[in-house]
Amino acid sequence: MNKLRYEERREKLRALLRQDELGSLLVSLDANRFYLSGFEPIDHQVNESAGYLVVTKDGPDWLCTDSRYHTAACRLWDSERVLIYKANAAEEIGELLKTLPGPVGFETKCLNVHFFQNVSKGLTMQAADGLVERLRVIKEPEEVDALEAACAINHKLMEWLPGVLAPDRTEKELAWDVERFFREQGADALSFPSITAVGKNAALPHAVPGLDRIKENSCVLVDVGCRLNDYCSDQTRTFWAGGKPSAAFLRTLEQVRTAQRKALDVLRPGLAVADAYQAARAYFEEQGVAEHFTHSLGHGIGLQTHEEPSLSPRSKAVLQAGMVVTVEPGLYYPEWGGVRWEYMVLITEDGHRAL
């Protein structure tokens, strides 16, 4: 993506800052920083940041980082607007913010208390969560292309995967098979740690791969994604390893896929997100299995695996053209396992399109 695109995004953000009567915004979420600047898409350590972006209502803007990233920052940004902090990042950024228009917005959900206490000294700061996300939720054509390319690798994986679901292979071995396949197909990384769950472990929506082995005639739930050109894919399929699937598995698979179709049938711009969830939930209720549907219907996806909107019954969001969401109903039974089935879907002007 070229430099102009990042500038255009910051201009849209400035309009939101003026609308909310903010002079500046301290951007600390890695995905937001990258979306607005092109600088460092992921902070790999929870306790360490590659840097912060400061966007002002009228410009110019500042990129703040440490000496490790000086050269990388200057390749993307006017070097005169790069702040290289040293001993105390928060205090040094705070001194910069004092020279800029206020009040200063900040992202409460990803700025720790210690940093905030140091950066805010002598400043008027105001919670401003969701401003950048309001822009990110509608994907630009280049973003849709990137998501579709990542999703295409997932499709290849799911076609290839049944061939390695051999008895006696462990969940960990299967997870490594997945990661190696993604890399060999050109992916940059995993979107998230792979979920490869055998038998009863498939009843855990976020199972961690362990040493449990595939057995003849067992279900295998695979929820995986890759990152390509900074954008994520996310798909779940549930397989049967062995000969004839059990009646419980076949019944559950049919119920899950029917619930997914019910939800897909209503997806369109203007639909309340809660109504999309309810379309799947209502079918499960008809079948008498709703208590086994234990999570939301899906979530937004883009630079992060989980973005807005959440397809939750509690959500107040409304679907808009340009959103990309997952649709992934599931049913879970601790005594034998579970089934989840997931599509990535683009909301279009007149409906939706599976990626």
Side-chain angles (χ1 to χ4, degrees):
M1 222 165 278
N2 61 42
K3 188 176 180 180
L4 180 60
R5 179 53 57 92
Y6 298 117
E7 293 173 355
E8 291 171 348
R9 291 170 176 175
R10 294 197 301 277
E11 285 303 316
K12 291 179 181 178
L13 178 60
R14 290 188 221 289
L16 298 181
L17 293 180
R18 290 190 286 268
Q19 179 180 305
D20 287 5
E21 299 182 344
L22 291 171
S24 310
L25 178 67
L26 174 63
V27 179
S28 50
L29 181 66
D30 50 6
N32 288 347
R33 178 189 64 214
F34 178 78
Y35 181 81
L36 296 168
S37 69
F39 179 71
E40 296 300 315
I42 302 173
D43 289 335
H44 294 283
Q45 301 293 332
V46 174
N47 61 343
E48 186 175 313
S49 172
Y52 303 82
L53 185 67
V54 179
V55 179
T56 65
K57 64 178 181 179
D58 296 311
D61 307 319
W62 288 81
L63 184 58
C64 308
T65 186
D66 64 60
S67 58
R68 296 170 300 170
Y69 298 96
H70 191 176
T71 300
C74 291
R75 287 180 179 179
L76 294 167
W77 205 261
D78 179 356
S79 61
E80 295 184 359
R81 297 293 173 181
V82 174
L83 170 67
I84 301 298
Y85 47 74
K86 297 177 183 177
N88 191 316
E91 288 186 0
E92 292 174 52
I93 292 173
E95 291 303 313
L96 169 67
L97 292 173
K98 289 175 184 176
T99 70
L100 302 176
V104 179
F106 70 102
E107 299 171 322
T108 67
K109 295 179 180 179
C110 54
L111 199 66
N112 66 56
V113 174
H114 181 267
F115 191 98
F116 175 77
Q117 289 174 335
N118 282 276
V119 77
S120 62
K121 293 175 182 177
L123 289 168
T124 299
M125 298 192 73
Q126 179 176 318
D129 290 301
L131 286 182
V132 184
E133 287 83 352
R134 205 183 305 176
L135 303 177
R136 284 175 51 202
V137 74
I138 305 300
K139 270 49 182 184
E140 299 159 352
E142 296 94 329
E143 292 180 288
V144 174
D145 289 345
L147 287 164
E148 196 157 21
C151 203
I153 299 179
N154 261 72
H155 287 309
K156 291 180 181 179
L157 171 80
M158 295 302 182
E159 292 174 358
W160 166 85
L161 199 56
V164 298
L165 298 181
D168 214 36
R169 291 183 61 74
T170 68
E171 293 169 333
K172 281 189 173 184
E173 288 171 336
L174 183 56
W176 174 240
D177 289 337
V178 168
E179 183 167 0
R180 185 171 58 241
F181 182 94
F182 278 146
R183 289 288 194 171
E184 289 174 348
Q185 294 296 316
D188 302 320
L190 297 176
S191 298
F192 54 92
S194 296
I195 299 170
T196 50
V198 173
K200 292 181 179 181
N201 293 339
L204 306 173
H206 279 189
V208 177
L211 297 178
D212 286 43
R213 297 180 182 274
I214 298 174
K215 298 177 182 178
E216 188 72 27
N217 294 317
S218 62
C219 67
V220 183
L221 186 150
V222 179
D223 183 351
V224 295
C226 69
R227 184 178 289 273
L228 181 66
N229 297 325
D230 302 308
Y231 284 81
C232 299
S233 62
D234 181 6
Q235 290 180 328
T236 309
R237 300 289 185 269
T238 310
F239 302 91
W240 185 264
K244 185 178 180 181
S246 71
F249 176 82
L250 289 175
R251 180 177 61 252
T252 304
L253 178 62
E254 177 60 26
Q255 289 170 334
V256 167
R257 298 208 64 185
T258 300
Q260 186 189 52
R261 287 194 295 271
K262 297 281 187 182
L264 290 170
D265 285 346
V266 301
L267 289 189
R268 65 184 187 280
L271 180 76
V273 161
D275 290 344
Y277 169 89
Q278 189 57 35
R281 179 84 185 186
Y283 173 74
F284 285 148
E285 289 173 349
E286 289 174 13
Q287 296 292 305
V289 296
E291 66 186 278
H292 300 284
F293 179 34
T294 58
H295 52 68
S296 69
L297 179 65
H299 51 83
I301 185 167
L303 289 169
Q304 295 174 296
T305 310
H306 287 82
E307 300 185 349
E308 292 297 326
S310 170
L311 273 60
S312 157
R314 298 174 297 280
S315 175
K316 303 299 183 185
V318 173
L319 293 177
Q320 302 175 61
M323 288 180 171
V324 176
V325 298
T326 68
V327 180
E328 48 178 308
L331 294 171
Y332 308 97
Y333 298 88
E335 60 271 20
W336 64 265
V339 174
R340 183 163 67 251
W341 206 270
E342 179 179 16
Y343 287 172
M344 284 173 54
V345 175
L346 169 69
I347 305 302
T348 63
E349 294 292 342
D350 56 359
H352 70 274
R353 176 170 68 85
L355 298 182

